[in-house]
Amino acid sequence: MISALAWVPKGASQRMPEKLKLTEQEMQMLRQAATEEEADEHDAMEAAMAEEDAEEQAAAAAKEQEGAAADSDGLPASFKMDEYDDEDDDAAINNYIGNSGAIEDGVEEEEEETSGDDDEAQQPDDDGNVAMEDDEEEEDEDDELEMDKEDVEIRPTDAVVLVANTEEDFSNLEVQVYDDETGSLYVHHEINLPAFPLCLAWMDCAPVPLDPSKGPVDGSFVAVGTFKSGIEIWNLDVLDVLEPAVTLGGEQNDELRDVAMPKMSKRRKNRKIALKPGSHQDAVMALDWNSSHRNMLASGSADATVKVWDITTQSCLYTMAHHTNKVQSVRWNPVETTVLASASFDRSLVVLDGRQPNAFSKFALSAEVESIAWAPHDPSTIVASTEDGAVVGFDVRMNGSAPLFRFDAHAGAVSAISFSAQVPGLLATAGVDKTVKLWDLKDNAPVCVTSKEMNVGELFTMSFYQDSPFMLGVGGSKGVLALWDTSENEGVERRFGSRVQGSATGAAAASSDISASFRSPYQLGEELVLEEEREKQQQTQQGKKKSGKNKGKKHK
């Protein structure tokens, strides 16, 4: 099954990925792991041989008890085996010796024929050139190298999509390449993962110390969240890689990861796991990279916390505990890039500014959340999908307000939602009912434009390609990636074709300061106190007015 996917921006991948070069330490770890695996296999083989010997001994004992009807060779006495002599054996030996001479003669003749063929092959042609076998072999090797380069090369026009796939107990990350010209989709290379993958986030910032004069180091990396507490960051420009570049949080001892050699000794299994400082305490369920502050990565966990990490120092900058249950989704605002949204199984959506995490807006959801997404062309609007099949939108500037819209999208959980980065109002929803639906959210009045069954089972993940207005990637229970060019649908082309305008770069000018509407608990308390004081003042004034009227009546 495919549990997560993420697109790589066009041209961000290294054209010719590098081959893995193991360090001496990594070689030593592999040798040690191989030795332990060999010892385990040896012990298992000895146990199996001992069991087989015991079975053979038991069978032999049973035969001995069959009676005196069998002779010492284990054959019935009526066969009279003792009366046979060795004449047949002597005849067989003489026959073999007689034929050996003929065999040797045949070998000599074959060698002479082969030698003659070689001489003919090395005869010069009309121009006096002799074809040498070494030259032909070198040409074959050059052709093979050229073919290898073509297989490995990722062209700047290729679309690269990262797919987290699991079959039975084996999980891996597939780097798939789509050639728009030929329509071909193939797996370029794979990365083994330590546990079931829950979320992915692509990034271009290398997890190395930051040089203030130069800024972050460029590259192509992916952060992976699994049922383990650590966040692994992998270098996508290296083939056959065995270990992540770094791990944010997670287990203190890297040897416990054990992906290259999956079998662990009993000694390792029984070892107590210690976590790094600042680590999540449970599975990492959500990730989102900040493309403006490139060293920052947000994560949400089953431990009910949201963390912001510095990729370059591999440290946790701060932890937020606004939720009381598992955090299913986190998203940075595309325009106000310090604003972060998170949604949890506690049926709440929280929006805050990372510079003042104690100030936030909070919105109630009708059920446990599945996915959230910011509207790229209307950055104050955030949309959430829930397990009851609903999709709801909020204006985050209106703390705790009623939703802008709400509609029932699917018969069952809406597992994923995604906006087109280049078409205002185009929203895609995916559900466990195996279908994708496209919606027009113009003027906050949702209209279903079309729907399609993707034939890849129940749908768990989906995303628009940021470099294409209409290309959509979908994954589900069958473990097959499905791509849909939604512009092929006449209704989509008719409704959205004229709206294509590229990425939402101009949206910032039209947006207001979102974070200005956030309130900290202290500020909310002060506002409540002020509101209570105003109500008391109003009640006092109303009481004075009533008493004044009553006095006037008495005087009359």
Side-chain angles (χ1 to χ4, degrees), residues 14 58 111 121 168 226 273 294 378 382 408 459 489 509 514 547:
Q14 188 168 306
E111 289 178 351
E168 297 180 353
T226 69
I273 297 176
R294 296 170 52 205
D378 186 8
I382 192 166
D408 295 325
L459 304 182
N489 181 277
I514 296 173
S547 62

Side-chain angles (χ1 to χ4, degrees), residues 14-17 149-154 160 174-177 186-190 236 239:
Q14 188 168 306
R15 185 156 190 161
M16 295 298 297
K149 287 182 179 179
E150 292 179 1
D151 292 339
V152 171
E153 181 183 15
I154 300 177
V160 180
E174 298 173 352
V175 180
Q176 299 200 24
V177 176
Y186 62 94
V187 177
H188 185 271
H189 63 279
E190 297 176 319
L236 298 173
L239 301 178

Side-chain angles (χ1 to χ4, degrees), residues 446-461:
V447 176
C448 184
V449 179
T450 188
S451 65
K452 182 178 181 178
E453 185 167 342
M454 303 305 296
N455 298 317
V456 291
E458 296 181 358
L459 304 182
F460 302 136
T461 182

Side-chain angles (χ1 to χ4, degrees), residues 365 368-372 383-387 390-392 414-417:
L365 301 173
E368 291 183 354
V369 70
E370 292 287 339
S371 180
I372 61 174
V383 179
S385 67
T386 51
E387 67 170 358
V391 174
V392 60
V414 184
S415 53
I417 57 177

Side-chain angles (χ1 to χ4, degrees), residues 278-342:
S279 172
H280 280 297
Q281 304 298 309
D282 208 332
V284 179
M285 303 176 66
L287 291 169
D288 196 35
W289 172 62
N290 194 317
S291 59
S292 296
H293 305 279
R294 296 170 52 205
N295 63 317
M296 294 175 65
L297 177 73
S299 63
S301 171
D303 63 10
T305 65
V306 174
K307 291 179 180 288
V308 175
W309 301 83
D310 186 336
I311 301 167
T312 59
T313 61
Q314 296 100 58
S315 60
C316 177
L317 296 177
Y318 42 86
T319 301
M320 293 159 284
H322 301 89
H323 295 289
T324 59
N325 206 335
K326 299 175 182 178
V327 179
Q328 171 71 4
S329 188
V330 293
R331 288 289 182 269
W332 294 102
N333 188 279
V335 175
E336 292 195 32
T337 54
T338 59
V339 172
L340 177 67
S342 61

Side-chain angles (χ1 to χ4, degrees), residues 483-494:
L483 299 182
W484 180 20
D485 183 356
T486 58
S487 64
E488 295 175 353
N489 181 277
E490 292 183 2
V492 172
E493 178 63 27
R494 186 169 53 251

